Amino acid sequence: MRTTSRPYFTATALGVTAVAVAALSTCAAPADAATPSRLGPCDSGQLCLWEKEEFNGTRLTHELATTDIESCIPLPAGTTAAALANRTGRPVTTYQSATCAETGEFETYPGGGTWVPRSPYQVRAFKIWEN
């Protein structure tokens, strides 16, 4: 009786192990997950905007000392941003419109350290808000 029960328990244990491995593999993030492999460089107190997703391409940097609060700040003509980091300590709204029109897409990001590797639209302007 032992010879038949031992293979049964071994097969059951292998089956349970296979199910557990399969379950874990479906929960684990794939290697090309939406999470970036690295964050773009952006110092404390700055709003950083990159022309390409995943913090690639030319980076534009804005600081509170040189940016009007609650004013629409368009990016330079012909420039858009596809990724951003908000380290200003204040909320920042990015706009699809170069005039901060709310008829296009816009999104407000908290200022405590928000990293956005892929904006849902091409950013053409922004506003930094009071807390």
mmCIF file of all heavy atoms in Angstrom, residues 54-73:
data_model
loop_
_atom_site.group_PDB
_atom_site.id
_atom_site.type_symbol
_atom_site.label_atom_id
_atom_site.label_comp_id
_atom_site.label_asym_id
_atom_site.label_seq_id
_atom_site.Cartn_x
_atom_site.Cartn_y
_atom_site.Cartn_z
ATOM 1 N N GLU A 54 9.408 57.858 -20.716
ATOM 2 C CA GLU A 54 10.417 57.188 -19.893
ATOM 3 C C GLU A 54 11.587 58.111 -19.547
ATOM 4 O O GLU A 54 12.708 57.645 -19.364
ATOM 5 C CB GLU A 54 10.927 55.908 -20.561
ATOM 6 C CG GLU A 54 9.863 54.858 -20.772
ATOM 7 C CD GLU A 54 9.383 54.203 -19.493
ATOM 8 O OE1 GLU A 54 10.118 54.229 -18.486
ATOM 9 O OE2 GLU A 54 8.260 53.686 -19.500
ATOM 10 N N PHE A 55 11.328 59.421 -19.471
ATOM 11 C CA PHE A 55 12.331 60.414 -19.065
ATOM 12 C C PHE A 55 13.514 60.470 -20.023
ATOM 13 O O PHE A 55 14.658 60.595 -19.621
ATOM 14 C CB PHE A 55 12.806 60.130 -17.625
ATOM 15 C CG PHE A 55 11.671 59.842 -16.684
ATOM 16 C CD1 PHE A 55 11.469 58.574 -16.163
ATOM 17 C CD2 PHE A 55 10.778 60.845 -16.333
ATOM 18 C CE1 PHE A 55 10.409 58.308 -15.303
ATOM 19 C CE2 PHE A 55 9.710 60.584 -15.475
ATOM 20 C CZ PHE A 55 9.533 59.322 -14.961
ATOM 21 N N ASN A 56 13.214 60.394 -21.308
ATOM 22 C CA ASN A 56 14.241 60.446 -22.349
ATOM 23 C C ASN A 56 14.117 61.733 -23.149
ATOM 24 O O ASN A 56 13.091 62.389 -23.138
ATOM 25 C CB ASN A 56 14.125 59.238 -23.284
ATOM 26 C CG ASN A 56 14.514 57.950 -22.599
ATOM 27 O OD1 ASN A 56 15.583 57.851 -22.016
ATOM 28 N ND2 ASN A 56 13.634 56.964 -22.641
ATOM 29 N N GLY A 57 15.154 62.045 -23.868
ATOM 30 C CA GLY A 57 15.165 63.236 -24.711
ATOM 31 C C GLY A 57 15.529 64.487 -23.918
ATOM 32 O O GLY A 57 16.006 64.424 -22.792
ATOM 33 N N THR A 58 15.292 65.629 -24.534
ATOM 34 C CA THR A 58 15.617 66.908 -23.914
ATOM 35 C C THR A 58 14.762 67.128 -22.675
ATOM 36 O O THR A 58 13.570 66.848 -22.672
ATOM 37 C CB THR A 58 15.385 68.056 -24.919
ATOM 38 O OG1 THR A 58 16.181 67.795 -26.078
ATOM 39 C CG2 THR A 58 15.756 69.390 -24.325
ATOM 40 N N ARG A 59 15.383 67.638 -21.613
ATOM 41 C CA ARG A 59 14.681 67.924 -20.359
ATOM 42 C C ARG A 59 14.584 69.424 -20.155
ATOM 43 O O ARG A 59 15.569 70.141 -20.283
ATOM 44 C CB ARG A 59 15.419 67.298 -19.182
ATOM 45 C CG ARG A 59 14.756 67.575 -17.839
ATOM 46 C CD ARG A 59 15.563 67.023 -16.706
ATOM 47 N NE ARG A 59 16.840 67.708 -16.649
ATOM 48 C CZ ARG A 59 17.659 67.671 -15.619
ATOM 49 N NH1 ARG A 59 17.367 66.969 -14.562
ATOM 50 N NH2 ARG A 59 18.800 68.320 -15.650
ATOM 51 N N LEU A 60 13.374 69.894 -19.853
ATOM 52 C CA LEU A 60 13.154 71.284 -19.464
ATOM 53 C C LEU A 60 12.956 71.307 -17.952
ATOM 54 O O LEU A 60 12.248 70.462 -17.407
ATOM 55 C CB LEU A 60 11.904 71.851 -20.136
ATOM 56 C CG LEU A 60 11.902 71.898 -21.656
ATOM 57 C CD1 LEU A 60 10.517 72.312 -22.154
ATOM 58 C CD2 LEU A 60 12.947 72.873 -22.147
ATOM 59 N N THR A 61 13.579 72.258 -17.273
ATOM 60 C CA THR A 61 13.487 72.344 -15.822
ATOM 61 C C THR A 61 12.958 73.713 -15.425
ATOM 62 O O THR A 61 13.406 74.740 -15.950
ATOM 63 C CB THR A 61 14.874 72.118 -15.185
ATOM 64 O OG1 THR A 61 15.365 70.861 -15.625
ATOM 65 C CG2 THR A 61 14.794 72.106 -13.677
ATOM 66 N N HIS A 62 11.992 73.731 -14.495
ATOM 67 C CA HIS A 62 11.419 74.980 -13.985
ATOM 68 C C HIS A 62 11.476 74.948 -12.464
ATOM 69 O O HIS A 62 11.251 73.899 -11.848
ATOM 70 C CB HIS A 62 9.967 75.126 -14.447
ATOM 71 C CG HIS A 62 9.835 75.190 -15.932
ATOM 72 N ND1 HIS A 62 9.929 76.357 -16.632
ATOM 73 C CD2 HIS A 62 9.645 74.209 -16.848
ATOM 74 C CE1 HIS A 62 9.784 76.106 -17.926
ATOM 75 N NE2 HIS A 62 9.619 74.807 -18.081
ATOM 76 N N GLU A 63 11.771 76.092 -11.854
ATOM 77 C CA GLU A 63 11.818 76.204 -10.406
ATOM 78 C C GLU A 63 10.875 77.317 -9.958
ATOM 79 O O GLU A 63 10.563 78.233 -10.733
ATOM 80 C CB GLU A 63 13.236 76.503 -9.941
ATOM 81 C CG GLU A 63 14.195 75.366 -10.217
ATOM 82 C CD GLU A 63 15.579 75.602 -9.644
ATOM 83 O OE1 GLU A 63 15.759 76.574 -8.876
ATOM 84 O OE2 GLU A 63 16.469 74.811 -9.954
ATOM 85 N N LEU A 64 10.442 77.259 -8.709
ATOM 86 C CA LEU A 64 9.529 78.270 -8.178
ATOM 87 C C LEU A 64 10.128 79.671 -8.237
ATOM 88 O O LEU A 64 9.410 80.644 -8.472
ATOM 89 C CB LEU A 64 9.150 77.925 -6.734
ATOM 90 C CG LEU A 64 8.325 76.658 -6.554
ATOM 91 C CD1 LEU A 64 8.118 76.381 -5.073
ATOM 92 C CD2 LEU A 64 6.996 76.772 -7.263
ATOM 93 N N ALA A 65 11.417 79.795 -8.047
ATOM 94 C CA ALA A 65 12.065 81.108 -8.029
ATOM 95 C C ALA A 65 11.942 81.842 -9.365
ATOM 96 O O ALA A 65 11.978 83.072 -9.399
ATOM 97 C CB ALA A 65 13.542 80.965 -7.660
ATOM 98 N N THR A 66 11.761 81.095 -10.447
ATOM 99 C CA THR A 66 11.710 81.720 -11.779
ATOM 100 C C THR A 66 10.392 81.476 -12.502
ATOM 101 O O THR A 66 10.294 81.739 -13.696
ATOM 102 C CB THR A 66 12.869 81.193 -12.643
ATOM 103 O OG1 THR A 66 12.780 79.767 -12.727
ATOM 104 C CG2 THR A 66 14.224 81.583 -12.060
ATOM 105 N N THR A 67 9.376 80.987 -11.776
ATOM 106 C CA THR A 67 8.097 80.654 -12.397
ATOM 107 C C THR A 67 6.970 81.340 -11.644
ATOM 108 O O THR A 67 6.901 81.273 -10.424
ATOM 109 C CB THR A 67 7.867 79.125 -12.371
ATOM 110 O OG1 THR A 67 8.986 78.479 -12.983
ATOM 111 C CG2 THR A 67 6.619 78.734 -13.124
ATOM 112 N N ASP A 68 6.075 82.013 -12.369
ATOM 113 C CA ASP A 68 4.925 82.657 -11.751
ATOM 114 C C ASP A 68 3.932 81.597 -11.277
ATOM 115 O O ASP A 68 3.508 80.742 -12.052
ATOM 116 C CB ASP A 68 4.214 83.587 -12.742
ATOM 117 C CG ASP A 68 5.041 84.820 -13.079
ATOM 118 O OD1 ASP A 68 5.858 85.236 -12.232
ATOM 119 O OD2 ASP A 68 4.862 85.361 -14.184
ATOM 120 N N ILE A 69 3.559 81.700 -10.010
ATOM 121 C CA ILE A 69 2.592 80.776 -9.434
ATOM 122 C C ILE A 69 1.203 81.085 -10.002
ATOM 123 O O ILE A 69 0.827 82.239 -10.171
ATOM 124 C CB ILE A 69 2.571 80.902 -7.893
ATOM 125 C CG1 ILE A 69 3.952 80.617 -7.311
ATOM 126 C CG2 ILE A 69 1.526 79.976 -7.265
ATOM 127 C CD1 ILE A 69 4.480 79.242 -7.585
ATOM 128 N N GLU A 70 0.444 80.034 -10.302
ATOM 129 C CA GLU A 70 -0.917 80.102 -10.826
ATOM 130 C C GLU A 70 -1.038 80.830 -12.161
ATOM 131 O O GLU A 70 -2.097 81.314 -12.520
ATOM 132 C CB GLU A 70 -1.873 80.687 -9.775
ATOM 133 C CG GLU A 70 -1.928 79.817 -8.533
ATOM 134 C CD GLU A 70 -3.003 80.218 -7.546
ATOM 135 O OE1 GLU A 70 -3.884 81.022 -7.884
ATOM 136 O OE2 GLU A 70 -2.973 79.691 -6.412
ATOM 137 N N SER A 71 0.059 80.884 -12.904
ATOM 138 C CA SER A 71 0.050 81.457 -14.252
ATOM 139 C C SER A 71 0.259 80.339 -15.265
ATOM 140 O O SER A 71 0.967 79.371 -14.991
ATOM 141 C CB SER A 71 1.176 82.483 -14.415
ATOM 142 O OG SER A 71 0.944 83.594 -13.593
ATOM 143 N N CYS A 72 -0.341 80.500 -16.432
ATOM 144 C CA CYS A 72 -0.148 79.526 -17.503
ATOM 145 C C CYS A 72 1.241 79.719 -18.090
ATOM 146 O O CYS A 72 1.591 80.807 -18.563
ATOM 147 C CB CYS A 72 -1.214 79.708 -18.580
ATOM 148 S SG CYS A 72 -1.061 78.517 -19.933
ATOM 149 N N ILE A 73 2.047 78.670 -18.031
ATOM 150 C CA ILE A 73 3.412 78.709 -18.568
ATOM 151 C C ILE A 73 3.469 77.783 -19.781
ATOM 152 O O ILE A 73 3.514 76.554 -19.634
ATOM 153 C CB ILE A 73 4.448 78.247 -17.515
ATOM 154 C CG1 ILE A 73 4.270 78.976 -16.190
ATOM 155 C CG2 ILE A 73 5.861 78.371 -18.075
ATOM 156 C CD1 ILE A 73 4.504 80.466 -16.233
#
